[in-house]
Amino acid sequence: MDDTTEPTVVAREGVAALLRAALPSVPGVSALPGIRKDASATEGFAVTRPPVTVEREHATRYAELCGFPAQDTVALTYPHMLAQPLHLAILADARFPAPAMGMVHLENTITQHRRIAIGETLDVRVDVSSPIAHPVGTAWRLTSTIRSGSPDGEVAWESVSTYLRRGRRNPDAAWAGDLADVAPGPVAWPLKADLGRRYAAVSGDYNPIHLTALSAKALGFPRQIAHGMWTKARCVAMLENRLPDAVTVEVTFKKPVLLPSAVAFGSEERGEGFGFSLHKRGSDTLHLLGRTTAL
């Protein structure tokens, strides 16, 4: 998907990709050739896209939606938009053993090695790990690597997204502990009901759980929820001007953010970095924990 594509085309391609990813969850359809998942798959694989040029209009729309200032370099979390089409393609791929519907985004870690400029042409690749035992199911890590399109092909940005498919419990499975707690802060944001649809129009992620109360209820949620990567981006926007160019930002997603609602952002300095959190406003309900580490 080219970043110069009109919003209606972005929407059409995003919905089409999501439908392909959802088909393996449909009884009867899931057994058809080309749709059937290889449930026995134990090896990872990788996908790439043609070189993509960062367009100012798209980067600016993303920045405005997530609370970043418009600059000549992209927001720290923006490159995830370049990898997002590959994430959807992976979830739809027969080599990925689990249906997309029901997958839970547990964690995301971004490492920015340097800032990426508007107008840069980049190579994008996403590697899928082999299945990983999780205490309540099976997890996979999708590693996105974005390199300069120049001859040296330096790595500019990396991200690891961990997705969980709930299933058979694995009580002996080891899993890293949570990030350190951060108390709710005084900064609060009201979130409108259409936030998921607006983020989908920029990202191409039209998962029904984010769009309307009706579509979210059909998948087990009381109403639509915010995209996890929007919540991370909005938190990072509060800190980015205090972060070095080379930095790692980790988050653990806790409870979904129901829309509409209001959330409270908190942060505290920790050595050369920050810990941060996102809570439901006026509540101890925790949506996200994060930390930054200078490289």
Side-chain angles (χ1 to χ4, degrees), residues 32-284:
L32 295 176
I35 296 174
R36 180 175 59 247
K37 290 285 191 174
D38 180 3
S40 65
T42 59
E43 298 296 325
F45 61 96
V47 294
T48 61
R49 62 179 294 179
V52 59
T53 299
V54 178
E55 298 293 336
R56 184 177 296 278
E57 189 273 340
H58 188 246
T60 299
R61 285 171 54 217
Y62 175 86
E64 290 175 350
L65 181 60
C66 300
F68 294 94
Q71 302 180 86
D72 290 332
T73 55
V74 303
L76 186 149
T77 51
Y78 172 80
H80 185 78
M81 298 297 94
L82 307 183
Q84 179 67 34
L86 298 184
H87 283 228
L88 292 175
I90 286 165
L91 295 178
D93 197 299
R95 292 172 293 175
F96 190 78
M101 293 297 111
M103 298 289 287
V104 179
H105 196 177
L106 286 183
E107 302 165 350
N108 175 266
T109 298
I110 289 172
T111 298
Q112 177 180 269
H113 297 281
R114 65 165 177 82
R115 289 189 173 271
I116 292 173
I118 301 291
E120 272 199 69
T121 298
L122 303 162
D123 293 323
V124 184
R125 171 186 171 118
V126 179
D127 288 83
V128 188
S129 73
S130 299
I132 305 165
H134 184 276
V136 297
T138 304
W140 289 264
R141 291 194 174 102
L142 274 59
T143 300
S144 306
T145 305
I146 295 183
R147 295 178 178 270
S148 166
S150 62
D152 60 6
E154 62 167 339
V155 176
W157 187 96
E158 297 173 279
S159 171
V160 180
S161 289
T162 303
Y163 294 94
L164 170 70
R165 179 76 178 182
R166 294 185 182 275
R168 187 180 66 183
R169 292 181 176 271
N170 303 293
D172 296 328
W175 201 259
D178 288 334
L179 300 174
D181 246 346
V182 177
V187 178
W189 308 311
L191 307 181
K192 294 182 179 180
D194 67 347
L195 174 60
R197 297 191 292 277
R198 289 185 289 130
Y199 186 81
V202 173
S203 68
D205 182 356
Y206 281 85
N207 190 322
I209 63 176
H210 303 302
L211 304 182
T212 68
L214 186 63
S215 60
K217 284 179 180 178
L219 294 169
F221 292 88
R223 59 185 189 271
Q224 66 269 39
I225 65 174
H227 292 73
M229 287 304 295
W230 180 88
T231 65
K232 176 172 183 174
R234 188 65 187 90
C235 291
V236 172
M238 294 294 294
L239 299 170
E240 191 183 40
N241 65 350
R242 290 181 279 170
L243 299 179
D245 288 350
V247 65
T248 293
V249 183
E250 305 165 71
V251 299
T252 298
F253 300 111
K254 294 298 189 178
K255 291 185 179 295
V257 176
L258 297 173
L259 300 173
S261 66
V263 293
F265 170 79
S267 68
E268 57 187 43
E269 291 190 42
R270 290 181 176 166
E272 296 184 5
F274 295 89
F276 59 93
S277 67
L278 196 67
H279 288 78
K280 181 178 179 181
R281 186 176 64 182
S283 167
D284 290 333

